[in-house]
Amino acid sequence: MWGVFFEDINFGADGGLYAELVKNRGFEFPDPLMGWTTISPSLARGVVTIRTDGPFAAGNPHYVRLQSDAKTPFGLSNEGFRGMGVRQGEAYDFSVEVRGVAGAPALTVQLYGGDGALLDATVLRGFTDGWRRYTATLHPHDTDPKARLAVLVTGAGTLDLDFVSLFPEKTWKNRPGGLRDDMVQALADLHPGFMRFPGGCIVEGSVLSRRYQWKHTIGPVESRPLLINRWNYEFLHRPTPDYFQSFGLGFFEFFQLCEDIGAQPLPIVNCGMACQFNSAELCPLDALGPFIQDALDLIEFANGPATRGWGAKRAAMGHPAPFGMRLLGVGNEQWGLEYFARYEKFARAIKDRYPEIALVSAAGPSPDDPRFHLAWQRLRALHADIVDEHSYALPDWFYANTHRYDHYDRGGPKVFMGEYAAQSIGVVSVKNRNNLDCALAEAAYLTGLERNADVVRMASYAPLFANTEAWQWTPDLIWVDSLRVLRTPSYYVQQLYARNRGDRVLPIALGGVAAADQRRVFASATLDVAARQVILKLVNAAPQAWAVAVSLAGIGEVTAGTITVLSSDGLDDQNTMADPGRVAPRTRAFAPARPEFDLVLPAHSFSVVRVGLAP
Ligand code: AHR
């Protein structure tokens, strides 16, 4: 029910989850030296050229040639993703592809702090006239959020360099070239039931040639072709010219991550439509074959036998066992007749071969407009499995929609609330804040999803991650900088739902609250069968505390449990890097004597009450 939606927006992958510290490591950006600066102290003399003849990997055609006349070391320095975060006491794996061209120079590798202080250095030598990978380990003697990496030709001569890389040794599960440990931990701590990936609009691309193609994201990292990220240029008010997709976090890594954190993978494939907010380019219906084949091959990549076809490619990457994928999304946020025609073709082909895969279909970007209603009408007629609804709206929308699903058709497709977030100011406003006000509105709305869990099968907040120095969209669930991870009040709402998920929905009635005031109190109840606990979720959105009388009718004897409360002094309160725990849940023991008990719901609060059932 409670999952996460990962999209590479706000530097979510490169500069985020993917732990690579070097930006444009392969010199493949359209400006091949973006992110790099020539280090040319007064006495240094040298030439930097970008070349493509005889690259070390065909999929990574550009490399840099550094020619030095050796008065003093000469070369390049990389700025990282708005600075490299390095920690004292930790090790960093440096690697580079080098080809000796002339002379016998050494290569000096230096890590600098933001203030220019040298943090560590090493020297590599003995280059041959063929490409070879050289490695070293750096140990910064200080922690720095804005470090830089320099590679300097030392001695007269010429070297070709490519794929200059620096990774923390400490990654998630210590995988070399892996993911940021602290960011994955934040995901794992959410206990997500599923992960939707890789988008979002990046699945669609602004034009079809820039769509997300999963086959380009597997295999050796140097053969994954770079793609411009559509969030690079989407918002004129938030231009991000250095935003590209290296696909170091590719589909294999996504599946692996899902497995690590116990989340069902929900990949989304392009359905032959580019983003309808951009070009809305269409692949003609009679040319959809390769798009549909990509979807079928993806299922084989995830679930097929290790001995052949795409399953063998998965096995070659180190995972012979199937990933057990059961869900697949066809298109992101598509709308209109063009979509249903394409969805139908995908659905027929996929269900023919893989009837066990549940398909997620799109209902457009709005939760209530003609596009949305047409989608439901058509998708119902097509017997779609799961319809993906999206809502970015003011907190009031979420309060007003807590009963949205009470009367949904129980015989039709199931609902996936695939993207939602309360916006404190308005959609795409750069002033939106992740404050308590938004988090409470989401918590209230989720009581309605939980009460209707027979029809709403899944829900995920969006977007998931944002880099404080390179974001395009706010609000976001988790903010990061180069060294820190910040959990928002909305994060804690998600976590409280996912960690207090019952197995059965219990009927609940709110009584004795005057009609006007009732709108400010929201509740749901579930039963955790294994733990033998009743779980109540209670939101008090009013500015005063409420004393409520709870009656667990028909429950029998009760035992001890807990109360967890998320609240703060004011609705505008948020967490910041300087004050990360300002709005955070607090848990205390709770031992009611009887199944009827009194509770005080603090003003502006979300409470989760767990009550044990006597054996
Ligand atoms: O979450 C940000 C964007 O919002 C997603 O890419 C898209 O699906 C929606 O419009």
Side-chain angles (χ1 to χ4, degrees), residues 219-251:
V221 282
E222 62 274 13
S223 14
R224 305 179 188 181
L226 187 91
L227 183 67
I228 189 164
N229 190 309
R230 60 93 73 186
W231 298 109
N232 177 313
Y233 49 82
E234 176 64 11
F235 292 142
L236 291 178
H237 59 283
R238 297 291 301 173
T240 320
D242 54 343
Y243 201 2
F244 291 82
Q245 294 171 267
S246 73
F247 299 115
L249 170 55
F251 259 48

PDB file of all heavy atoms in Angstrom, residues 219-251:
ATOM      1  N   GLY A 219      24.362  -3.085 -18.135  1.00  0.00           N
ATOM      2  CA  GLY A 219      25.682  -3.442 -18.635  1.00  0.00           C
ATOM      3  C   GLY A 219      26.740  -2.525 -18.055  1.00  0.00           C
ATOM      4  O   GLY A 219      26.474  -1.752 -17.128  1.00  0.00           O
ATOM      5  N   PRO A 220      27.977  -2.592 -18.590  1.00  0.00           N
ATOM      6  CA  PRO A 220      29.066  -1.775 -18.040  1.00  0.00           C
ATOM      7  C   PRO A 220      28.714  -0.291 -18.065  1.00  0.00           C
ATOM      8  O   PRO A 220      28.154   0.194 -19.055  1.00  0.00           O
ATOM      9  CB  PRO A 220      30.242  -2.069 -18.989  1.00  0.00           C
ATOM     10  CG  PRO A 220      29.875  -3.305 -19.721  1.00  0.00           C
ATOM     11  CD  PRO A 220      28.385  -3.391 -19.739  1.00  0.00           C
ATOM     12  N   VAL A 221      29.049   0.421 -17.001  1.00  0.00           N
ATOM     13  CA  VAL A 221      28.614   1.820 -16.913  1.00  0.00           C
ATOM     14  C   VAL A 221      29.160   2.674 -18.052  1.00  0.00           C
ATOM     15  O   VAL A 221      28.496   3.607 -18.511  1.00  0.00           O
ATOM     16  CB  VAL A 221      28.985   2.464 -15.546  1.00  0.00           C
ATOM     17  CG1 VAL A 221      28.022   2.027 -14.466  1.00  0.00           C
ATOM     18  CG2 VAL A 221      30.419   2.177 -15.159  1.00  0.00           C
ATOM     19  N   GLU A 222      30.365   2.326 -18.536  1.00  0.00           N
ATOM     20  CA  GLU A 222      30.942   3.163 -19.599  1.00  0.00           C
ATOM     21  C   GLU A 222      30.231   2.967 -20.933  1.00  0.00           C
ATOM     22  O   GLU A 222      30.431   3.729 -21.868  1.00  0.00           O
ATOM     23  CB  GLU A 222      32.454   2.922 -19.738  1.00  0.00           C
ATOM     24  CG  GLU A 222      32.872   1.528 -20.127  1.00  0.00           C
ATOM     25  CD  GLU A 222      33.015   0.587 -18.939  1.00  0.00           C
ATOM     26  OE1 GLU A 222      32.559   0.951 -17.826  1.00  0.00           O
ATOM     27  OE2 GLU A 222      33.570  -0.513 -19.113  1.00  0.00           O
ATOM     28  N   SER A 223      29.405   1.914 -21.037  1.00  0.00           N
ATOM     29  CA  SER A 223      28.663   1.782 -22.300  1.00  0.00           C
ATOM     30  C   SER A 223      27.219   2.243 -22.185  1.00  0.00           C
ATOM     31  O   SER A 223      26.412   1.982 -23.070  1.00  0.00           O
ATOM     32  CB  SER A 223      28.709   0.359 -22.844  1.00  0.00           C
ATOM     33  OG  SER A 223      29.137  -0.537 -21.928  1.00  0.00           O
ATOM     34  N   ARG A 224      26.875   2.906 -21.111  1.00  0.00           N
ATOM     35  CA  ARG A 224      25.520   3.456 -20.983  1.00  0.00           C
ATOM     36  C   ARG A 224      25.536   4.883 -21.536  1.00  0.00           C
ATOM     37  O   ARG A 224      26.156   5.761 -20.948  1.00  0.00           O
ATOM     38  CB  ARG A 224      25.078   3.445 -19.516  1.00  0.00           C
ATOM     39  CG  ARG A 224      25.163   2.053 -18.879  1.00  0.00           C
ATOM     40  CD  ARG A 224      24.741   2.033 -17.429  1.00  0.00           C
ATOM     41  NE  ARG A 224      25.013   0.728 -16.830  1.00  0.00           N
ATOM     42  CZ  ARG A 224      24.730   0.395 -15.580  1.00  0.00           C
ATOM     43  NH1 ARG A 224      24.160   1.266 -14.771  1.00  0.00           N
ATOM     44  NH2 ARG A 224      25.017  -0.819 -15.125  1.00  0.00           N
ATOM     45  N   PRO A 225      24.879   5.127 -22.658  1.00  0.00           N
ATOM     46  CA  PRO A 225      24.998   6.447 -23.286  1.00  0.00           C
ATOM     47  C   PRO A 225      24.342   7.549 -22.465  1.00  0.00           C
ATOM     48  O   PRO A 225      23.236   7.386 -21.968  1.00  0.00           O
ATOM     49  CB  PRO A 225      24.289   6.269 -24.629  1.00  0.00           C
ATOM     50  CG  PRO A 225      23.469   5.036 -24.506  1.00  0.00           C
ATOM     51  CD  PRO A 225      24.052   4.192 -23.421  1.00  0.00           C
ATOM     52  N   LEU A 226      25.064   8.649 -22.328  1.00  0.00           N
ATOM     53  CA  LEU A 226      24.571   9.799 -21.565  1.00  0.00           C
ATOM     54  C   LEU A 226      23.325  10.387 -22.232  1.00  0.00           C
ATOM     55  O   LEU A 226      23.210  10.400 -23.450  1.00  0.00           O
ATOM     56  CB  LEU A 226      25.667  10.864 -21.522  1.00  0.00           C
ATOM     57  CG  LEU A 226      25.396  12.056 -20.624  1.00  0.00           C
ATOM     58  CD1 LEU A 226      25.944  11.780 -19.228  1.00  0.00           C
ATOM     59  CD2 LEU A 226      26.026  13.313 -21.195  1.00  0.00           C
ATOM     60  N   LEU A 227      22.403  10.893 -21.407  1.00  0.00           N
ATOM     61  CA  LEU A 227      21.191  11.536 -21.942  1.00  0.00           C
ATOM     62  C   LEU A 227      20.959  12.823 -21.170  1.00  0.00           C
ATOM     63  O   LEU A 227      21.114  12.857 -19.944  1.00  0.00           O
ATOM     64  CB  LEU A 227      19.992  10.592 -21.758  1.00  0.00           C
ATOM     65  CG  LEU A 227      18.650  11.055 -22.317  1.00  0.00           C
ATOM     66  CD1 LEU A 227      18.676  11.126 -23.841  1.00  0.00           C
ATOM     67  CD2 LEU A 227      17.536  10.099 -21.875  1.00  0.00           C
ATOM     68  N   ILE A 228      20.550  13.859 -21.896  1.00  0.00           N
ATOM     69  CA  ILE A 228      20.209  15.097 -21.188  1.00  0.00           C
ATOM     70  C   ILE A 228      18.949  14.832 -20.354  1.00  0.00           C
ATOM     71  O   ILE A 228      18.046  14.130 -20.789  1.00  0.00           O
ATOM     72  CB  ILE A 228      20.015  16.276 -22.169  1.00  0.00           C
ATOM     73  CG1 ILE A 228      19.887  17.587 -21.392  1.00  0.00           C
ATOM     74  CG2 ILE A 228      18.822  16.058 -23.092  1.00  0.00           C
ATOM     75  CD1 ILE A 228      20.084  18.828 -22.254  1.00  0.00           C
ATOM     76  N   ASN A 229      18.941  15.367 -19.147  1.00  0.00           N
ATOM     77  CA  ASN A 229      17.764  15.205 -18.288  1.00  0.00           C
ATOM     78  C   ASN A 229      16.741  16.277 -18.658  1.00  0.00           C
ATOM     79  O   ASN A 229      17.086  17.453 -18.753  1.00  0.00           O
ATOM     80  CB  ASN A 229      18.191  15.336 -16.821  1.00  0.00           C
ATOM     81  CG  ASN A 229      17.084  14.935 -15.873  1.00  0.00           C
ATOM     82  OD1 ASN A 229      15.949  15.400 -15.970  1.00  0.00           O
ATOM     83  ND2 ASN A 229      17.412  14.042 -14.955  1.00  0.00           N
ATOM     84  N   ARG A 230      15.464  15.908 -18.825  1.00  0.00           N
ATOM     85  CA  ARG A 230      14.490  16.929 -19.277  1.00  0.00           C
ATOM     86  C   ARG A 230      14.288  18.010 -18.212  1.00  0.00           C
ATOM     87  O   ARG A 230      13.837  19.109 -18.504  1.00  0.00           O
ATOM     88  CB  ARG A 230      13.169  16.328 -19.742  1.00  0.00           C
ATOM     89  CG  ARG A 230      12.367  15.528 -18.795  1.00  0.00           C
ATOM     90  CD  ARG A 230      11.315  16.282 -18.045  1.00  0.00           C
ATOM     91  NE  ARG A 230      10.144  16.690 -18.788  1.00  0.00           N
ATOM     92  CZ  ARG A 230       9.208  17.475 -18.237  1.00  0.00           C
ATOM     93  NH1 ARG A 230       9.341  17.904 -16.999  1.00  0.00           N
ATOM     94  NH2 ARG A 230       8.150  17.832 -18.908  1.00  0.00           N
ATOM     95  N   TRP A 231      14.674  17.717 -16.951  1.00  0.00           N
ATOM     96  CA  TRP A 231      14.577  18.756 -15.919  1.00  0.00           C
ATOM     97  C   TRP A 231      15.725  19.751 -16.038  1.00  0.00           C
ATOM     98  O   TRP A 231      15.740  20.759 -15.336  1.00  0.00           O
ATOM     99  CB  TRP A 231      14.540  18.115 -14.530  1.00  0.00           C
ATOM    100  CG  TRP A 231      13.326  17.246 -14.369  1.00  0.00           C
ATOM    101  CD1 TRP A 231      13.295  15.879 -14.318  1.00  0.00           C
ATOM    102  CD2 TRP A 231      11.960  17.676 -14.284  1.00  0.00           C
ATOM    103  NE1 TRP A 231      12.001  15.433 -14.199  1.00  0.00           N
ATOM    104  CE2 TRP A 231      11.156  16.513 -14.174  1.00  0.00           C
ATOM    105  CE3 TRP A 231      11.328  18.921 -14.298  1.00  0.00           C
ATOM    106  CZ2 TRP A 231       9.763  16.570 -14.070  1.00  0.00           C
ATOM    107  CZ3 TRP A 231       9.947  18.966 -14.186  1.00  0.00           C
ATOM    108  CH2 TRP A 231       9.187  17.809 -14.076  1.00  0.00           C
ATOM    109  N   ASN A 232      16.664  19.468 -16.918  1.00  0.00           N
ATOM    110  CA  ASN A 232      17.767  20.399 -17.222  1.00  0.00           C
ATOM    111  C   ASN A 232      17.205  21.731 -17.720  1.00  0.00           C
ATOM    112  O   ASN A 232      17.661  22.805 -17.338  1.00  0.00           O
ATOM    113  CB  ASN A 232      18.653  19.717 -18.272  1.00  0.00           C
ATOM    114  CG  ASN A 232      19.811  20.544 -18.764  1.00  0.00           C
ATOM    115  OD1 ASN A 232      19.638  21.711 -19.097  1.00  0.00           O
ATOM    116  ND2 ASN A 232      20.994  19.949 -18.822  1.00  0.00           N
ATOM    117  N   TYR A 233      16.153  21.626 -18.565  1.00  0.00           N
ATOM    118  CA  TYR A 233      15.672  22.829 -19.262  1.00  0.00           C
ATOM    119  C   TYR A 233      14.175  23.038 -19.106  1.00  0.00           C
ATOM    120  O   TYR A 233      13.595  23.919 -19.729  1.00  0.00           O
ATOM    121  CB  TYR A 233      16.017  22.742 -20.755  1.00  0.00           C
ATOM    122  CG  TYR A 233      15.623  21.410 -21.377  1.00  0.00           C
ATOM    123  CD1 TYR A 233      14.321  21.175 -21.794  1.00  0.00           C
ATOM    124  CD2 TYR A 233      16.556  20.379 -21.511  1.00  0.00           C
ATOM    125  CE1 TYR A 233      13.949  19.953 -22.323  1.00  0.00           C
ATOM    126  CE2 TYR A 233      16.190  19.138 -22.039  1.00  0.00           C
ATOM    127  CZ  TYR A 233      14.887  18.938 -22.442  1.00  0.00           C
ATOM    128  OH  TYR A 233      14.508  17.724 -22.956  1.00  0.00           O
ATOM    129  N   GLU A 234      13.513  22.213 -18.272  1.00  0.00           N
ATOM    130  CA  GLU A 234      12.046  22.269 -18.212  1.00  0.00           C
ATOM    131  C   GLU A 234      11.533  23.589 -17.647  1.00  0.00           C
ATOM    132  O   GLU A 234      10.610  24.189 -18.178  1.00  0.00           O
ATOM    133  CB  GLU A 234      11.522  21.104 -17.368  1.00  0.00           C
ATOM    134  CG  GLU A 234      10.017  21.110 -17.144  1.00  0.00           C
ATOM    135  CD  GLU A 234       9.203  20.941 -18.439  1.00  0.00           C
ATOM    136  OE1 GLU A 234       9.792  20.617 -19.476  1.00  0.00           O
ATOM    137  OE2 GLU A 234       7.977  21.156 -18.382  1.00  0.00           O
ATOM    138  N   PHE A 235      12.126  24.045 -16.561  1.00  0.00           N
ATOM    139  CA  PHE A 235      11.629  25.254 -15.907  1.00  0.00           C
ATOM    140  C   PHE A 235      12.595  26.410 -16.152  1.00  0.00           C
ATOM    141  O   PHE A 235      13.719  26.397 -15.633  1.00  0.00           O
ATOM    142  CB  PHE A 235      11.472  25.035 -14.404  1.00  0.00           C
ATOM    143  CG  PHE A 235      10.383  24.066 -14.034  1.00  0.00           C
ATOM    144  CD1 PHE A 235      10.549  23.176 -12.992  1.00  0.00           C
ATOM    145  CD2 PHE A 235       9.171  24.061 -14.723  1.00  0.00           C
ATOM    146  CE1 PHE A 235       9.538  22.292 -12.637  1.00  0.00           C
ATOM    147  CE2 PHE A 235       8.160  23.170 -14.382  1.00  0.00           C
ATOM    148  CZ  PHE A 235       8.343  22.283 -13.334  1.00  0.00           C
ATOM    149  N   LEU A 236      12.116  27.405 -16.884  1.00  0.00           N
ATOM    150  CA  LEU A 236      12.992  28.550 -17.157  1.00  0.00           C
ATOM    151  C   LEU A 236      13.404  29.237 -15.862  1.00  0.00           C
ATOM    152  O   LEU A 236      14.478  29.826 -15.767  1.00  0.00           O
ATOM    153  CB  LEU A 236      12.285  29.548 -18.070  1.00  0.00           C
ATOM    154  CG  LEU A 236      12.068  29.051 -19.499  1.00  0.00           C
ATOM    155  CD1 LEU A 236      11.313  30.073 -20.321  1.00  0.00           C
ATOM    156  CD2 LEU A 236      13.404  28.693 -20.146  1.00  0.00           C
ATOM    157  N   HIS A 237      12.536  29.123 -14.842  1.00  0.00           N
ATOM    158  CA  HIS A 237      12.861  29.764 -13.570  1.00  0.00           C
ATOM    159  C   HIS A 237      13.827  28.931 -12.734  1.00  0.00           C
ATOM    160  O   HIS A 237      14.292  29.397 -11.698  1.00  0.00           O
ATOM    161  CB  HIS A 237      11.580  30.062 -12.775  1.00  0.00           C
ATOM    162  CG  HIS A 237      10.755  28.845 -12.474  1.00  0.00           C
ATOM    163  ND1 HIS A 237       9.959  28.238 -13.414  1.00  0.00           N
ATOM    164  CD2 HIS A 237      10.607  28.128 -11.337  1.00  0.00           C
ATOM    165  CE1 HIS A 237       9.358  27.194 -12.861  1.00  0.00           C
ATOM    166  NE2 HIS A 237       9.748  27.106 -11.597  1.00  0.00           N
ATOM    167  N   ARG A 238      14.081  27.686 -13.132  1.00  0.00           N
ATOM    168  CA  ARG A 238      15.046  26.850 -12.404  1.00  0.00           C
ATOM    169  C   ARG A 238      15.950  26.133 -13.407  1.00  0.00           C
ATOM    170  O   ARG A 238      15.983  24.895 -13.446  1.00  0.00           O
ATOM    171  CB  ARG A 238      14.342  25.799 -11.545  1.00  0.00           C
ATOM    172  CG  ARG A 238      13.457  26.312 -10.438  1.00  0.00           C
ATOM    173  CD  ARG A 238      14.175  26.973  -9.298  1.00  0.00           C
ATOM    174  NE  ARG A 238      15.138  26.110  -8.648  1.00  0.00           N
ATOM    175  CZ  ARG A 238      15.983  26.525  -7.692  1.00  0.00           C
ATOM    176  NH1 ARG A 238      15.953  27.785  -7.303  1.00  0.00           N
ATOM    177  NH2 ARG A 238      16.849  25.711  -7.147  1.00  0.00           N
ATOM    178  N   PRO A 239      16.683  26.861 -14.236  1.00  0.00           N
ATOM    179  CA  PRO A 239      17.537  26.178 -15.222  1.00  0.00           C
ATOM    180  C   PRO A 239      18.632  25.381 -14.522  1.00  0.00           C
ATOM    181  O   PRO A 239      19.163  25.816 -13.508  1.00  0.00           O
ATOM    182  CB  PRO A 239      18.113  27.327 -16.040  1.00  0.00           C
ATOM    183  CG  PRO A 239      18.030  28.515 -15.147  1.00  0.00           C
ATOM    184  CD  PRO A 239      16.849  28.311 -14.246  1.00  0.00           C
ATOM    185  N   THR A 240      18.942  24.206 -15.068  1.00  0.00           N
ATOM    186  CA  THR A 240      19.968  23.346 -14.469  1.00  0.00           C
ATOM    187  C   THR A 240      20.841  22.809 -15.602  1.00  0.00           C
ATOM    188  O   THR A 240      20.730  21.647 -15.991  1.00  0.00           O
ATOM    189  CB  THR A 240      19.311  22.181 -13.688  1.00  0.00           C
ATOM    190  OG1 THR A 240      18.171  22.683 -12.986  1.00  0.00           O
ATOM    191  CG2 THR A 240      20.289  21.588 -12.691  1.00  0.00           C
ATOM    192  N   PRO A 241      21.712  23.669 -16.163  1.00  0.00           N
ATOM    193  CA  PRO A 241      22.420  23.288 -17.395  1.00  0.00           C
ATOM    194  C   PRO A 241      23.367  22.101 -17.233  1.00  0.00           C
ATOM    195  O   PRO A 241      23.762  21.497 -18.232  1.00  0.00           O
ATOM    196  CB  PRO A 241      23.203  24.559 -17.761  1.00  0.00           C
ATOM    197  CG  PRO A 241      23.186  25.408 -16.539  1.00  0.00           C
ATOM    198  CD  PRO A 241      21.995  25.028 -15.728  1.00  0.00           C
ATOM    199  N   ASP A 242      23.702  21.758 -15.995  1.00  0.00           N
ATOM    200  CA  ASP A 242      24.627  20.636 -15.784  1.00  0.00           C
ATOM    201  C   ASP A 242      23.890  19.364 -15.364  1.00  0.00           C
ATOM    202  O   ASP A 242      24.465  18.507 -14.699  1.00  0.00           O
ATOM    203  CB  ASP A 242      25.681  21.003 -14.727  1.00  0.00           C
ATOM    204  CG  ASP A 242      25.050  21.484 -13.419  1.00  0.00           C
ATOM    205  OD1 ASP A 242      23.853  21.844 -13.420  1.00  0.00           O
ATOM    206  OD2 ASP A 242      25.764  21.508 -12.402  1.00  0.00           O
ATOM    207  N   TYR A 243      22.610  19.227 -15.769  1.00  0.00           N
ATOM    208  CA  TYR A 243      21.837  18.050 -15.356  1.00  0.00           C
ATOM    209  C   TYR A 243      21.729  17.052 -16.506  1.00  0.00           C
ATOM    210  O   TYR A 243      21.037  17.293 -17.497  1.00  0.00           O
ATOM    211  CB  TYR A 243      20.454  18.508 -14.906  1.00  0.00           C
ATOM    212  CG  TYR A 243      19.722  17.529 -13.995  1.00  0.00           C
ATOM    213  CD1 TYR A 243      20.308  16.328 -13.585  1.00  0.00           C
ATOM    214  CD2 TYR A 243      18.443  17.809 -13.539  1.00  0.00           C
ATOM    215  CE1 TYR A 243      19.649  15.453 -12.745  1.00  0.00           C
ATOM    216  CE2 TYR A 243      17.761  16.942 -12.695  1.00  0.00           C
ATOM    217  CZ  TYR A 243      18.371  15.768 -12.310  1.00  0.00           C
ATOM    218  OH  TYR A 243      17.703  14.903 -11.476  1.00  0.00           O
ATOM    219  N   PHE A 244      22.422  15.938 -16.355  1.00  0.00           N
ATOM    220  CA  PHE A 244      22.432  14.874 -17.362  1.00  0.00           C
ATOM    221  C   PHE A 244      22.246  13.536 -16.649  1.00  0.00           C
ATOM    222  O   PHE A 244      22.428  13.440 -15.437  1.00  0.00           O
ATOM    223  CB  PHE A 244      23.742  14.880 -18.152  1.00  0.00           C
ATOM    224  CG  PHE A 244      23.853  16.082 -19.046  1.00  0.00           C
ATOM    225  CD1 PHE A 244      24.283  17.303 -18.534  1.00  0.00           C
ATOM    226  CD2 PHE A 244      23.481  16.021 -20.379  1.00  0.00           C
ATOM    227  CE1 PHE A 244      24.342  18.432 -19.339  1.00  0.00           C
ATOM    228  CE2 PHE A 244      23.539  17.146 -21.191  1.00  0.00           C
ATOM    229  CZ  PHE A 244      23.970  18.347 -20.670  1.00  0.00           C
ATOM    230  N   GLN A 245      21.887  12.523 -17.425  1.00  0.00           N
ATOM    231  CA  GLN A 245      21.702  11.186 -16.855  1.00  0.00           C
ATOM    232  C   GLN A 245      22.854  10.285 -17.312  1.00  0.00           C
ATOM    233  O   GLN A 245      22.963   9.974 -18.498  1.00  0.00           O
ATOM    234  CB  GLN A 245      20.372  10.603 -17.322  1.00  0.00           C
ATOM    235  CG  GLN A 245      19.172  11.369 -16.789  1.00  0.00           C
ATOM    236  CD  GLN A 245      17.887  10.908 -17.446  1.00  0.00           C
ATOM    237  OE1 GLN A 245      17.436  11.471 -18.439  1.00  0.00           O
ATOM    238  NE2 GLN A 245      17.306   9.873 -16.906  1.00  0.00           N
ATOM    239  N   SER A 246      23.688   9.891 -16.357  1.00  0.00           N
ATOM    240  CA  SER A 246      24.788   8.974 -16.688  1.00  0.00           C
ATOM    241  C   SER A 246      24.293   7.531 -16.673  1.00  0.00           C
ATOM    242  O   SER A 246      24.936   6.644 -17.190  1.00  0.00           O
ATOM    243  CB  SER A 246      25.916   9.111 -15.660  1.00  0.00           C
ATOM    244  OG  SER A 246      25.531   8.512 -14.431  1.00  0.00           O
ATOM    245  N   PHE A 247      23.151   7.300 -16.016  1.00  0.00           N
ATOM    246  CA  PHE A 247      22.563   5.973 -15.846  1.00  0.00           C
ATOM    247  C   PHE A 247      23.447   5.028 -15.038  1.00  0.00           C
ATOM    248  O   PHE A 247      23.318   3.809 -15.125  1.00  0.00           O
ATOM    249  CB  PHE A 247      22.188   5.346 -17.198  1.00  0.00           C
ATOM    250  CG  PHE A 247      21.169   6.150 -17.950  1.00  0.00           C
ATOM    251  CD1 PHE A 247      21.482   6.751 -19.160  1.00  0.00           C
ATOM    252  CD2 PHE A 247      19.904   6.344 -17.430  1.00  0.00           C
ATOM    253  CE1 PHE A 247      20.548   7.511 -19.841  1.00  0.00           C
ATOM    254  CE2 PHE A 247      18.959   7.113 -18.108  1.00  0.00           C
ATOM    255  CZ  PHE A 247      19.279   7.690 -19.320  1.00  0.00           C
ATOM    256  N   GLY A 248      24.367   5.604 -14.234  1.00  0.00           N
ATOM    257  CA  GLY A 248      25.087   4.764 -13.271  1.00  0.00           C
ATOM    258  C   GLY A 248      24.078   4.081 -12.345  1.00  0.00           C
ATOM    259  O   GLY A 248      24.299   2.967 -11.871  1.00  0.00           O
ATOM    260  N   LEU A 249      22.979   4.802 -12.066  1.00  0.00           N
ATOM    261  CA  LEU A 249      21.824   4.169 -11.431  1.00  0.00           C
ATOM    262  C   LEU A 249      20.889   3.778 -12.568  1.00  0.00           C
ATOM    263  O   LEU A 249      20.137   4.596 -13.094  1.00  0.00           O
ATOM    264  CB  LEU A 249      21.145   5.166 -10.480  1.00  0.00           C
ATOM    265  CG  LEU A 249      19.779   4.772  -9.896  1.00  0.00           C
ATOM    266  CD1 LEU A 249      19.824   3.434  -9.194  1.00  0.00           C
ATOM    267  CD2 LEU A 249      19.286   5.849  -8.943  1.00  0.00           C
ATOM    268  N   GLY A 250      21.022   2.528 -13.008  1.00  0.00           N
ATOM    269  CA  GLY A 250      20.221   2.034 -14.139  1.00  0.00           C
ATOM    270  C   GLY A 250      19.216   0.997 -13.663  1.00  0.00           C
ATOM    271  O   GLY A 250      19.006   0.820 -12.456  1.00  0.00           O
ATOM    272  N   PHE A 251      18.623   0.291 -14.613  1.00  0.00           N
ATOM    273  CA  PHE A 251      17.527  -0.602 -14.236  1.00  0.00           C
ATOM    274  C   PHE A 251      17.977  -1.782 -13.383  1.00  0.00           C
ATOM    275  O   PHE A 251      17.227  -2.232 -12.517  1.00  0.00           O
ATOM    276  CB  PHE A 251      16.757  -1.062 -15.486  1.00  0.00           C
ATOM    277  CG  PHE A 251      15.474  -0.289 -15.657  1.00  0.00           C
ATOM    278  CD1 PHE A 251      15.463   1.091 -15.566  1.00  0.00           C
ATOM    279  CD2 PHE A 251      14.267  -0.937 -15.877  1.00  0.00           C
ATOM    280  CE1 PHE A 251      14.269   1.821 -15.692  1.00  0.00           C
ATOM    281  CE2 PHE A 251      13.066  -0.226 -16.006  1.00  0.00           C
ATOM    282  CZ  PHE A 251      13.069   1.149 -15.912  1.00  0.00           C
TER     283      PHE A 251
END
